[in-house]
Short mmCIF file of all heavy atoms in Angstrom, two decimals:
data_model
loop_
_atom_site.label_atom_id
_atom_site.label_comp_id
_atom_site.label_asym_id
_atom_site.label_seq_id
_atom_site.Cartn_x
_atom_site.Cartn_y
_atom_site.Cartn_z
N PHE A 28 -9.06 12.40 3.02
CA PHE A 28 -10.32 11.63 3.02
C PHE A 28 -10.42 10.81 1.74
O PHE A 28 -10.75 9.61 1.77
CB PHE A 28 -11.51 12.59 3.13
CG PHE A 28 -12.85 11.91 2.99
CD1 PHE A 28 -13.41 11.23 4.07
CD2 PHE A 28 -13.52 11.91 1.77
CE1 PHE A 28 -14.65 10.59 3.94
CE2 PHE A 28 -14.75 11.28 1.64
CZ PHE A 28 -15.30 10.62 2.72
N LYS A 32 -10.33 6.88 2.06
CA LYS A 32 -11.66 6.32 1.83
C LYS A 32 -11.66 5.44 0.59
O LYS A 32 -12.38 4.42 0.53
CB LYS A 32 -12.67 7.47 1.65
CG LYS A 32 -14.13 7.01 1.57
CD LYS A 32 -14.65 6.55 2.91
CE LYS A 32 -16.13 6.24 2.86
NZ LYS A 32 -16.65 5.76 4.17
N GLY A 34 -9.15 3.70 -0.45
CA GLY A 34 -8.22 2.58 -0.31
C GLY A 34 -6.96 2.74 -1.13
O GLY A 34 -6.29 1.75 -1.45
N ASP A 58 5.81 7.49 -0.17
CA ASP A 58 6.04 7.11 -1.57
C ASP A 58 5.65 8.23 -2.53
O ASP A 58 6.28 8.42 -3.56
CB ASP A 58 5.21 5.85 -1.91
CG ASP A 58 5.60 4.66 -1.06
OD1 ASP A 58 6.81 4.34 -1.02
OD2 ASP A 58 4.71 4.06 -0.45
N ILE A 75 10.25 20.94 -3.66
CA ILE A 75 10.66 19.73 -4.38
C ILE A 75 12.17 19.73 -4.63
O ILE A 75 12.85 18.72 -4.42
CB ILE A 75 9.90 19.62 -5.72
CG1 ILE A 75 8.43 19.29 -5.46
CG2 ILE A 75 10.52 18.54 -6.61
CD1 ILE A 75 7.56 19.32 -6.70
N GLY A 85 10.85 10.06 -3.72
CA GLY A 85 9.44 9.75 -3.95
C GLY A 85 8.88 10.44 -5.19
O GLY A 85 9.56 11.24 -5.84
N ALA A 102 6.95 23.26 -13.01
CA ALA A 102 6.64 22.19 -12.05
C ALA A 102 7.02 20.83 -12.63
O ALA A 102 7.59 19.98 -11.93
CB ALA A 102 5.15 22.22 -11.69
N GLU A 129 -0.22 2.59 -10.25
CA GLU A 129 0.13 1.62 -11.29
C GLU A 129 1.60 1.75 -11.66
O GLU A 129 2.32 0.76 -11.80
CB GLU A 129 -0.76 1.87 -12.52
CG GLU A 129 -0.55 0.88 -13.65
CD GLU A 129 -1.09 -0.50 -13.34
OE1 GLU A 129 -1.92 -0.64 -12.42
OE2 GLU A 129 -0.67 -1.46 -14.01
N TRP A 131 3.94 2.96 -9.78
CA TRP A 131 4.72 2.54 -8.61
C TRP A 131 4.88 1.03 -8.59
O TRP A 131 5.97 0.50 -8.33
CB TRP A 131 4.04 3.03 -7.34
CG TRP A 131 4.70 2.59 -6.06
CD1 TRP A 131 5.81 3.13 -5.48
CD2 TRP A 131 4.28 1.54 -5.19
NE1 TRP A 131 6.11 2.48 -4.31
CE2 TRP A 131 5.19 1.49 -4.10
CE3 TRP A 131 3.22 0.63 -5.21
CZ2 TRP A 131 5.07 0.57 -3.07
CZ3 TRP A 131 3.10 -0.28 -4.18
CH2 TRP A 131 4.02 -0.31 -3.13
N LYS A 132 3.80 0.30 -8.90
CA LYS A 132 3.86 -1.16 -8.94
C LYS A 132 4.82 -1.64 -10.02
O LYS A 132 5.59 -2.57 -9.82
CB LYS A 132 2.46 -1.75 -9.17
CG LYS A 132 1.54 -1.66 -7.97
CD LYS A 132 0.31 -2.56 -8.14
CE LYS A 132 -0.52 -2.19 -9.31
NZ LYS A 132 -1.75 -3.03 -9.44
N LEU A 137 10.06 -3.88 -11.69
CA LEU A 137 11.32 -3.76 -12.42
C LEU A 137 12.51 -3.73 -11.47
O LEU A 137 13.59 -4.25 -11.78
CB LEU A 137 11.31 -2.50 -13.29
CG LEU A 137 10.31 -2.48 -14.45
CD1 LEU A 137 10.38 -1.15 -15.18
CD2 LEU A 137 10.58 -3.62 -15.41
N LEU A 150 27.16 -13.77 -9.01
CA LEU A 150 27.46 -15.20 -8.87
C LEU A 150 28.20 -15.77 -10.07
O LEU A 150 28.54 -16.94 -10.10
CB LEU A 150 26.15 -15.98 -8.68
CG LEU A 150 25.39 -15.72 -7.36
CD1 LEU A 150 24.04 -16.42 -7.40
CD2 LEU A 150 26.20 -16.17 -6.17
N GLU A 153 33.11 -15.73 -13.42
CA GLU A 153 33.88 -16.42 -14.44
C GLU A 153 33.51 -16.00 -15.85
O GLU A 153 34.16 -16.40 -16.83
CB GLU A 153 33.68 -17.95 -14.30
CG GLU A 153 32.31 -18.46 -14.65
CD GLU A 153 31.30 -18.32 -13.50
OE1 GLU A 153 31.69 -17.74 -12.48
OE2 GLU A 153 30.17 -18.80 -13.64
N ARG A 183 8.55 -1.79 -36.12
CA ARG A 183 9.42 -0.68 -36.51
C ARG A 183 8.90 0.64 -35.93
O ARG A 183 9.68 1.47 -35.45
CB ARG A 183 9.48 -0.59 -38.04
CG ARG A 183 10.30 0.59 -38.55
CD ARG A 183 10.24 0.70 -40.06
NE ARG A 183 10.85 1.94 -40.51
CZ ARG A 183 10.84 2.36 -41.77
NH1 ARG A 183 10.25 1.64 -42.70
NH2 ARG A 183 11.41 3.51 -42.10
N LYS A 205 -1.52 9.86 -29.57
CA LYS A 205 -1.56 10.52 -30.88
C LYS A 205 -0.22 11.16 -31.20
O LYS A 205 0.27 11.09 -32.33
CB LYS A 205 -2.67 11.57 -30.89
CG LYS A 205 -2.91 12.22 -32.25
CD LYS A 205 -4.11 13.15 -32.20
CE LYS A 205 -4.42 13.73 -33.58
NZ LYS A 205 -3.36 14.64 -34.04
N GLU A 209 2.46 10.13 -34.28
CA GLU A 209 2.98 11.12 -35.22
C GLU A 209 4.50 11.07 -35.28
O GLU A 209 5.10 11.35 -36.33
CB GLU A 209 2.49 12.52 -34.83
CG GLU A 209 1.00 12.72 -35.08
CD GLU A 209 0.50 14.07 -34.60
OE1 GLU A 209 1.30 14.81 -33.99
OE2 GLU A 209 -0.69 14.38 -34.84
N ALA A 211 6.32 8.33 -35.07
CA ALA A 211 6.62 7.22 -36.00
C ALA A 211 6.24 7.59 -37.43
O ALA A 211 6.95 7.23 -38.38
CB ALA A 211 5.87 5.96 -35.57
N ASN A 243 0.73 -14.29 -28.61
CA ASN A 243 1.94 -15.10 -28.39
C ASN A 243 2.09 -15.49 -26.93
O ASN A 243 2.40 -16.64 -26.60
CB ASN A 243 3.18 -14.32 -28.84
CG ASN A 243 3.22 -14.13 -30.34
OD1 ASN A 243 2.58 -14.87 -31.08
ND2 ASN A 243 3.95 -13.13 -30.79
N ASP A 251 2.98 -23.67 -21.18
CA ASP A 251 3.79 -23.73 -19.95
C ASP A 251 3.52 -22.48 -19.13
O ASP A 251 4.10 -21.42 -19.37
CB ASP A 251 5.27 -23.83 -20.31
CG ASP A 251 6.17 -23.90 -19.07
OD1 ASP A 251 5.63 -24.00 -17.95
OD2 ASP A 251 7.40 -23.84 -19.24
N TYR A 252 2.64 -22.60 -18.15
CA TYR A 252 2.22 -21.45 -17.34
C TYR A 252 3.37 -20.86 -16.55
O TYR A 252 3.35 -19.70 -16.15
CB TYR A 252 1.10 -21.89 -16.39
CG TYR A 252 0.22 -20.76 -15.90
CD1 TYR A 252 -0.75 -20.21 -16.74
CD2 TYR A 252 0.35 -20.23 -14.63
CE1 TYR A 252 -1.58 -19.19 -16.32
CE2 TYR A 252 -0.47 -19.21 -14.18
CZ TYR A 252 -1.43 -18.69 -15.04
OH TYR A 252 -2.24 -17.66 -14.61
N ASP A 266 -3.40 -6.22 -19.16
CA ASP A 266 -4.37 -6.50 -18.11
C ASP A 266 -4.58 -8.01 -18.11
O ASP A 266 -4.89 -8.60 -19.16
CB ASP A 266 -5.68 -5.77 -18.39
CG ASP A 266 -5.51 -4.26 -18.34
OD1 ASP A 266 -4.68 -3.79 -17.54
OD2 ASP A 266 -6.17 -3.57 -19.13
#
Side-chain angles (χ1 to χ4, degrees):
F28 174 80
K32 187 73 174 179
D58 299 307
I75 290 173
E129 183 71 18
W131 176 79
K132 287 194 299 183
L137 293 178
L150 293 173
E153 69 278 5
R183 177 184 171 186
K205 186 174 184 293
E209 289 176 355
N243 292 338
D251 180 7
Y252 203 76
D266 295 326

